[in-house]
């Protein structure tokens, strides 16, 4: 059983009627619908809840944290961001969806400004650049979306694997599906999911996120990997 | 079910009594013993059999080809090597064990001279450099072997992932567990397994090879990936 | 001084008048015009010359070999291909231009079928995905071409660096500017340069090829790197 | 001209007589001695100076920042760390020396806990794993040091290039010379340089750091790369 927490800023739905109509249960609620299964248990969390939705207990029991934020990145507390980063470095998976490229956790975890070029919603074609990657399982060479333009230059670190690349009508391309490893944690960024688009209804977007949850799940830590242990050891020595 | 073929040059056992005593069923027979399971079916093949052990039918039905060769690399026919390379590029996994770093298939598939530094059998410590990799599942931070020295400089292409690094008593280190992707095929090189050593009895070596077989298994090819198709298409056009 | 040899199949110009008009000195002659400088000496070579244009002496004195082939890939002798591969593994740079993705040397050196999707000449936009790479020096975030469509799926090994990605009008994208290392040799594939297009007149294509020549130049080999030495050492031992 | 700033915690020299004897001008002063040249101008900076040694003006005019810290990591202000990170993402090079693996800037810039295994000073052999890398220019296949043990598991992100690997007498190995790219900034971590060792007198350590300064120098930013621009653009839009 994989414990997934889907964190959603959950603001657009409250201030924009058309978004509320598209996502009556919120974007996190929509993702939960296709993600939950016998093997995946989903907890929903959002910014305006106590602890900004993520208590220490929830964080500790989460295997994969999925993140969607857009207009309220700055409201997320630095303390929570540090806790999330430390938990990822200890093995928790992290999936940054769409505008989470600019979220504090993603930027802090992988080390990036998250800056990119953006533009109007338009025809987009996602190309499968790494068919041997577990996240690409079941995905054809290409599939089509109608999405907000997120494009190069994208100032991410060189990805471990560039799984998907996206073509846009306006002449742009985007390294929009990329994996990273930080500490013992596996991270996946995937660009579809604008609040005024319906990409989460696309069967391939759903399949990719399902695959990503599986791929991001924490490994069992074996002997000799003392997580956050060296720091303590060194500090103790110098304290003497 | 994963169909594994273990190809072995199978010469040392016939000309060297001490090797024959260590490996009464041959090195391939020894590997089969710990590899075969409900999910893995193993076929043995060796150089002196018809078709040098690998008929077209066997090659076509093999999911993962494991290779051990040492003193007879040159006897392997170029035609067979080309067939193996094409099959890997179409998705078959390939595991090069020990001295297969200099085998024709490994050199041809990944693009390398395979050159390295070698020396006497000695104390060796394998370090797990990539605990998040599926091939490292269940492997502690380090384990010990008594092995032939294979060491840097090792003229391999930059690996996709450097999973294991090995320390040697004599002052050497080795990028001895490394993955590569070529076409749709996944490749793993792993250095233990000298004919006068007993590394295949080591529980971690066994676990790593089991993991590698699983990791190297072919993916299901989805729509739009025409294997070896573009070549034909272009040729047909120019033939007009 | 960098010694560059530009090898050209040199057939289209002889059988197609419009190509001959575009490239009166041949494609290799055109590339020479903008490449040659105080620091770069260019030698031209082509398929129908003795030794298929590349004598052992020329190969030995070449620092960077640039390759353009299309309809006559199969005529290049396997013996020459092996010599080129060995020379690259010993440090010579190799630049595969346009349709050289399917040339024997490129396929053999990096380990690929070279297969890709291709289509009609059209509007193409090259995006600079790695502005920190020496090959991207002086190149803006994007520039435009009119080129033959070469696109994904492209069955290359995971590149060391993906320097450029190309957008096409028809909905395709392409990892069209990619670096590889094999042995001591540095390799660059770059897609512009179809025989019916004028991409070699583009200032950025010229700059990229100039940068690539510099980047691909051989390193000075230091103590301890015995090129093609381990093979001999091992063979000698077994000969005893 | 490359403007290098060497930042040093500069505490061991003040509290430990033997370190003061080894490094009468401080570790930063020692590094300056061999680094400064007609092409490289060096400024020294240390923790107990105003602005913790790094004013905004100095930071802005620094091309490559070198960092040595050990017992006072926590005293470095978070504000300064953020400024350094942003400057690196905008193109400034960063070289983390020895115990700077645990410094706030290194951890924040690349995204790591910096945790590793450490032990007593001992015989160490540095192996050149990437002779084609500019940082390895002039470096033989291996050279010897007497150094503090810094070893695996080392929880760094997968490096862009693993340039050096180190062997230790005690049975350990270390990915001790590694490059990273973050934003437009190039980063190099290199392990030698313990305060009770004399590795900075080693000709190869000196050469590697000289090479690294050159390699880490900022690129000239071309049209279309709006540094830290996308953030503002998006914010402005949402402010409307």
């Amino acid at each position: 059983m994989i414990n997934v927490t889907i964190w959603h800023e959950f603001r657009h739905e409250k201030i924009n009627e058309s978004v509320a109509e598209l996502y009556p249960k919120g974007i996190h609620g929509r993702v939960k619908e296709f993600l939950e299964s016998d093997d995946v248990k989903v907890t929903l969390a959002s910014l305006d809840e106590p602890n900004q939705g993520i208590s220490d207990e929830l964080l500790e029991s989460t295997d994969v944290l999925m993140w969607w934020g857009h207009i309220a990145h700055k409201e997320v507390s630095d303390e929570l961001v540090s806790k999330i980063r430390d938990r990822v470095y200890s093995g928790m998976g992290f999936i940054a969806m769409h505008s989470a490229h600019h979220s504090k956790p993603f930027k802090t975890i992988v080390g990036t400004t998250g800056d990119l070029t953006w533009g109007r919603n338009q025809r987009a074609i996602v190309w499968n650049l790494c068919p041997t990657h577990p996240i690409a399982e079941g995905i054809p060479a290409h599939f089509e979306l109608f999405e907000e333009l997120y494009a190069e230059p994208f100032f991410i670190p060189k990805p471990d694997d560039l799984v998907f690349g996206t073509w846009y009508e306006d002449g742009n391309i985007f390294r929009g599906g990329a994996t990273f490893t930080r500490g013992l944690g596996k991270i996946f960024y995937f660009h579809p999911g604008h609040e005024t688009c319906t990409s989460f209804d696309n069967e391939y977007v759903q399949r990719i996120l399902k695959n990503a949850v599986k791929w991001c799940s924490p490994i069992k830590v074996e002997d000799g990997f003392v997580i956050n242990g060296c720091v303590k050891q060194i500090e103790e020595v110098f304290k003497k």
Side-chain angles (χ1 to χ4, degrees), chain A:
Chain A
M1 174 67 72
I2 304 172
N3 292 305
V4 173
T5 298
I6 308 176
W7 187 94
H8 180 29
E9 175 186 286
F10 207 11
R11 289 280 172 84
H12 288 289
E13 291 89 339
K14 295 171 183 169
I15 59 179
N16 185 330
E17 251 180 65
S18 61
V19 176
E21 272 170 46
L22 270 182
Y23 294 103
K25 297 177 184 173
I27 284 175
H28 52 347
R30 178 69 191 99
V31 173
K32 177 179 177 161
E33 283 175 351
F34 62 77
L35 214 61
E36 203 154 43
S37 73
D38 288 350
D39 301 323
V40 175
K41 190 180 155 244
V42 174
T43 302
L44 298 183
S46 60
L47 182 58
D48 294 329
E49 297 171 20
N51 301 305
Q52 303 199 318
I54 303 196
S55 68
D56 290 358
E57 295 70 35
L58 180 61
L59 189 61
E60 200 49 46
S61 66
T62 297
D63 294 316
V64 179
L65 179 59
M66 302 177 74
W67 198 271
W68 199 108
H70 199 189
I71 49 174
H73 290 319
K74 287 189 180 165
E75 295 182 38
V76 178
S77 85
D78 289 339
E79 200 199 334
L80 179 58
V81 172
S82 295
K83 285 178 183 176
I84 291 170
R85 180 200 59 204
D86 291 350
R87 182 82 183 92
V88 170
Y89 291 175
S90 300
M92 184 179 72
F94 188 83
I95 298 174
M97 296 182 286
H98 187 59
S99 40
H101 69 92
H102 258 164
S103 67
K104 283 187 187 178
F106 180 67
K107 294 196 294 181
T108 302
I109 291 164
V110 306
T112 178
T113 61
D115 291 346
L116 47 70
T117 301
W118 67 286
R120 66 179 180 95
N121 295 355
Q122 63 192 271
R123 196 179 158 225
I125 302 174
V126 179
W127 287 90
N128 180 351
L129 302 178
C130 195
T132 55
H133 199 286
I135 292 183
E137 204 184 313
I139 306 303
H142 63 96
F143 64 92
E144 205 167 328
L145 295 174
F146 189 83
E147 254 302 335
E148 188 182 24
L149 179 142
Y150 273 14
E152 302 295 330
F154 187 24
F155 289 93
I156 40 166
K158 294 180 190 177
D160 290 357
D161 278 304
L162 178 59
V163 190
F164 302 106
T166 298
W167 174 98
Y168 292 96
E169 219 174 340
D170 277 356
N172 301 75
I173 65 173
F174 189 44
R175 288 171 297 164
T179 66
F180 307 89
T181 313
R182 292 294 180 272
L184 291 173
K186 282 167 279 181
I187 299 108
F188 181 55
Y189 172 75
F190 193 43
H191 80 87
H194 193 58
E195 71 272 8
T196 62
C197 299
T198 58
S199 297
F200 290 122
D201 296 343
N202 181 286
E203 64 171 314
Y204 298 119
V205 170
Q206 295 184 4
R207 178 66 189 269
I208 287 166
L209 290 175
K210 284 177 194 174
N211 289 343
V213 160
K214 226 165 127 185
W215 179 80
C216 285
S217 300
I219 58 158
K220 193 180 158 294
V221 181
E222 303 298 328
D223 289 353
F225 292 99
V226 185
I227 307 313
N228 294 324
C230 304
V231 182
K232 280 170 202 157
Q233 191 184 2
I234 285 170
E235 280 170 359
E236 278 161 18
V237 167
F238 285 117
K239 271 178 199 153
K240 284 174 196 173

